[in-house]
């Protein structure tokens, strides 16, 4: 896809912005307001739709809001993919992860969670997030946000259903002096 069409109350992205999607980093190249009726079948195909009529039908949001055409480009592979594969952790790497995880635990409104969540995912790989969250008495959405924080550190891998510990995560768990409940 090199285009996206969105209906927003106000512009939600700016040219130059980058985001991660599907194992890639995507860059926003352009953002223009367009009349939905002028969207062509060719543009719809570039946005991943069968035709312009289908694209217009799938535009969400209030019909009074402007429709934006967003030009997109591939900016590279998601750096978390390479990070999660790196299991050759130095003492400094382990210490830095210890600090980051301890900081996440201290900032949490529900107490220390990082190591227990890593251990839970290690024990129950590719189990649905709602099941994992319920097991520890948490709501699903905040639980998933926390797991995403672990993913950003390269410690977990997301699957269509559930998660698993990455090679980096296994290496970290084997090397850290921190333990669940510390």
């Amino acid at each position: 896809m090199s285009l996206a069409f969105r209906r927003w109350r106000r512009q939600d992205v700016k040219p130059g912005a980058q985001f991660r999607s599907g194992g890639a980093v995507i860059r926003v190249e352009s953002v223009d307001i367009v009349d939905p009726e002028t969207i062509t079948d060719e543009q719809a195909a570039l946005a991943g739709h069968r035709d312009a009529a289908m694209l217009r039908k799938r535009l969400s949001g209030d019909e009074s809001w402007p429709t934006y055409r967003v030009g997109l480009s591939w900016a590279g592979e998601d750096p978390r993919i390479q990070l999660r594969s790196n299991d050759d952790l130095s003492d400094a790497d382990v210490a830095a992860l210890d600090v980051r995880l301890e900081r996440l635990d201290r900032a949490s409104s529900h107490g220390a969670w990082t190591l227990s969540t890593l251990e839970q995912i290690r024990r129950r790989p590719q189990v649905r997030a709602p099941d994992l969250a319920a097991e520890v008495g948490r709501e699903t959405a905040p639980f998933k946000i926390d797991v995403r924080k672990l993913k950003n550190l390269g410690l977990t891998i997301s699957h269509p259903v559930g998660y698993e510990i990455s090679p980096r995560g296994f290496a970290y768990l084997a090397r850290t002096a921190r333990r669940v409940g510390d």
Side-chain angles (χ1 to χ4, degrees):
M1 274 190 320
S2 59
L3 287 179
F5 291 87
R6 299 290 185 264
R7 192 177 282 143
W8 294 317
R9 184 180 317 213
R10 61 185 162 275
Q11 187 172 326
D12 197 40
V13 298
K14 295 180 180 177
Q18 294 186 354
F19 59 92
R20 294 181 293 239
S21 178
V25 176
I26 306 298
R27 181 179 23 257
V28 176
E29 298 293 345
S30 61
V31 182
D32 302 295
I33 295 176
V34 298
D35 178 346
E37 294 304 317
T38 66
I39 298 170
T40 66
D41 287 343
E42 181 179 286
Q43 290 173 326
L46 291 173
H49 296 275
R50 183 179 70 227
D51 56 36
M54 181 59 70
L55 185 151
R56 284 189 286 274
K57 182 178 179 182
R58 297 189 116 186
L59 282 172
S60 60
D62 189 306
E63 289 187 21
S64 68
W65 296 349
T67 298
Y68 292 87
R69 178 183 55 223
V70 183
L72 304 169
S73 68
W74 186 80
E77 185 177 272
D78 184 338
R80 297 176 300 183
I81 293 172
Q82 184 175 8
L83 180 63
R84 72 185 186 201
S85 299
N86 179 6
D87 62 355
D88 185 21
L89 301 180
S90 67
D91 291 343
D93 293 332
V94 173
L97 284 167
D98 283 342
V99 168
R100 296 284 301 274
L101 295 178
E102 288 168 358
R103 189 177 306 134
L104 289 171
D105 285 339
R106 279 194 311 275
S108 171
S109 62
H110 56 276
W113 61 271
T114 58
L115 285 178
S116 61
T117 301
L118 285 168
E119 286 294 339
Q120 181 186 29
I121 293 168
R122 184 189 57 75
R123 282 191 328 273
R124 302 192 66 205
Q126 297 190 35
V127 170
R128 290 174 357 108
D131 297 336
L132 293 174
E135 181 180 295
V136 293
R138 295 193 56 205
E139 296 291 322
T140 301
F143 179 84
K144 290 173 82 169
I145 290 169
D146 281 348
V147 174
R148 192 172 307 121
K149 293 172 187 174
L150 299 173
K151 181 179 179 179
N152 289 340
L153 294 172
L155 301 175
T156 63
I157 299 169
S158 295
H159 292 286
V161 175
Y163 316 97
E164 71 177 299
I165 301 298
S166 69
R168 180 181 181 83
F170 277 115
Y172 172 74
L173 288 172
R175 298 264 322 275
T176 185
R178 296 179 69 218
R179 294 290 169 239
V180 175
D182 285 352

